[in-house]
PDB file of all heavy atoms in Angstrom:
ATOM      1  N   GLY M 140      30.384 -24.810  23.784  1.00 95.00           N
ATOM      2  CA  GLY M 140      29.557 -23.605  23.519  1.00 95.00           C
ATOM      3  C   GLY M 140      28.072 -23.922  23.626  1.00 95.00           C
ATOM      4  O   GLY M 140      27.319 -23.040  24.149  1.00 95.00           O
ATOM      5  N   ALA M 141      27.639 -25.044  23.147  1.00 95.00           N
ATOM      6  CA  ALA M 141      26.248 -25.395  23.216  1.00 95.00           C
ATOM      7  C   ALA M 141      25.752 -25.504  24.690  1.00 95.00           C
ATOM      8  O   ALA M 141      24.622 -25.105  25.046  1.00 95.00           O
ATOM      9  CB  ALA M 141      25.945 -26.681  22.449  1.00 95.00           C
ATOM     10  N   GLY M 142      26.624 -26.117  25.522  1.00 93.00           N
ATOM     11  CA  GLY M 142      26.269 -26.187  26.951  1.00 93.00           C
ATOM     12  C   GLY M 142      26.166 -24.856  27.576  1.00 93.00           C
ATOM     13  O   GLY M 142      25.212 -24.594  28.356  1.00 93.00           O
ATOM     14  N   GLY M 143      27.083 -23.954  27.246  1.00 92.00           N
ATOM     15  CA  GLY M 143      26.993 -22.578  27.731  1.00 92.00           C
ATOM     16  C   GLY M 143      25.726 -21.852  27.309  1.00 92.00           C
ATOM     17  O   GLY M 143      25.060 -21.174  28.095  1.00 92.00           O
ATOM     18  N   LEU M 144      25.389 -21.995  25.999  1.00 92.00           N
ATOM     19  CA  LEU M 144      24.153 -21.347  25.489  1.00 92.00           C
ATOM     20  C   LEU M 144      22.913 -21.926  26.115  1.00 92.00           C
ATOM     21  O   LEU M 144      21.973 -21.201  26.367  1.00 92.00           O
ATOM     22  CB  LEU M 144      24.149 -21.470  23.969  1.00 92.00           C
ATOM     23  CG  LEU M 144      25.188 -20.677  23.200  1.00 92.00           C
ATOM     24  CD1 LEU M 144      25.128 -20.986  21.666  1.00 92.00           C
ATOM     25  CD2 LEU M 144      24.999 -19.185  23.423  1.00 92.00           C
ATOM     26  N   LEU M 145      22.930 -23.232  26.312  1.00 91.00           N
ATOM     27  CA  LEU M 145      21.785 -23.847  26.951  1.00 91.00           C
ATOM     28  C   LEU M 145      21.637 -23.292  28.384  1.00 91.00           C
ATOM     29  O   LEU M 145      20.500 -22.998  28.793  1.00 91.00           O
ATOM     30  CB  LEU M 145      21.928 -25.382  27.031  1.00 91.00           C
ATOM     31  CG  LEU M 145      20.802 -26.161  27.647  1.00 91.00           C
ATOM     32  CD1 LEU M 145      19.538 -26.025  26.859  1.00 91.00           C
ATOM     33  CD2 LEU M 145      21.141 -27.620  27.801  1.00 91.00           C
ATOM     34  N   GLN M 146      22.725 -23.119  29.068  1.00 90.00           N
ATOM     35  CA  GLN M 146      22.668 -22.559  30.408  1.00 90.00           C
ATOM     36  C   GLN M 146      22.093 -21.164  30.364  1.00 90.00           C
ATOM     37  O   GLN M 146      21.368 -20.739  31.262  1.00 90.00           O
ATOM     38  CB  GLN M 146      24.027 -22.564  31.020  1.00 90.00           C
ATOM     39  CG  GLN M 146      24.041 -22.149  32.474  1.00 90.00           C
ATOM     40  CD  GLN M 146      23.278 -23.051  33.351  1.00 90.00           C
ATOM     41  OE1 GLN M 146      22.091 -22.853  33.605  1.00 90.00           O
ATOM     42  NE2 GLN M 146      23.892 -24.111  33.879  1.00 90.00           N
ATOM     43  N   MET M 147      22.493 -20.336  29.336  1.00 88.00           N
ATOM     44  CA  MET M 147      21.972 -18.973  29.249  1.00 88.00           C
ATOM     45  C   MET M 147      20.453 -18.976  29.055  1.00 88.00           C
ATOM     46  O   MET M 147      19.807 -18.007  29.457  1.00 88.00           O
ATOM     47  CB  MET M 147      22.680 -18.250  28.065  1.00 88.00           C
ATOM     48  CG  MET M 147      24.089 -17.906  28.442  1.00 88.00           C
ATOM     49  SD  MET M 147      24.961 -17.131  27.063  1.00 88.00           S
ATOM     50  CE  MET M 147      24.001 -15.553  26.995  1.00 88.00           C
ATOM     51  N   VAL M 148      19.913 -20.022  28.450  1.00 87.00           N
ATOM     52  CA  VAL M 148      18.458 -20.119  28.295  1.00 87.00           C
ATOM     53  C   VAL M 148      17.829 -20.437  29.578  1.00 87.00           C
ATOM     54  O   VAL M 148      16.748 -19.876  29.914  1.00 87.00           O
ATOM     55  CB  VAL M 148      18.114 -21.178  27.224  1.00 87.00           C
ATOM     56  CG1 VAL M 148      16.619 -21.504  27.248  1.00 87.00           C
ATOM     57  CG2 VAL M 148      18.576 -20.807  25.845  1.00 87.00           C
ATOM     58  N   PHE M 149      18.416 -21.279  30.440  1.00 82.00           N
ATOM     59  CA  PHE M 149      17.824 -21.684  31.664  1.00 82.00           C
ATOM     60  C   PHE M 149      17.961 -20.702  32.819  1.00 82.00           C
ATOM     61  O   PHE M 149      17.104 -20.633  33.696  1.00 82.00           O
ATOM     62  CB  PHE M 149      18.400 -23.073  32.109  1.00 82.00           C
ATOM     63  CG  PHE M 149      17.729 -24.175  31.452  1.00 82.00           C
ATOM     64  CD1 PHE M 149      18.284 -24.841  30.361  1.00 82.00           C
ATOM     65  CD2 PHE M 149      16.506 -24.644  31.903  1.00 82.00           C
ATOM     66  CE1 PHE M 149      17.634 -25.893  29.739  1.00 82.00           C
ATOM     67  CE2 PHE M 149      15.850 -25.694  31.311  1.00 82.00           C
ATOM     68  CZ  PHE M 149      16.446 -26.298  30.185  1.00 82.00           C
TER      69      PHE M 149
END
Side-chain angles (χ1 to χ4, degrees):
L144 290 175
L145 181 66
Q146 187 64 267
M147 287 179 66
V148 169
F149 277 100

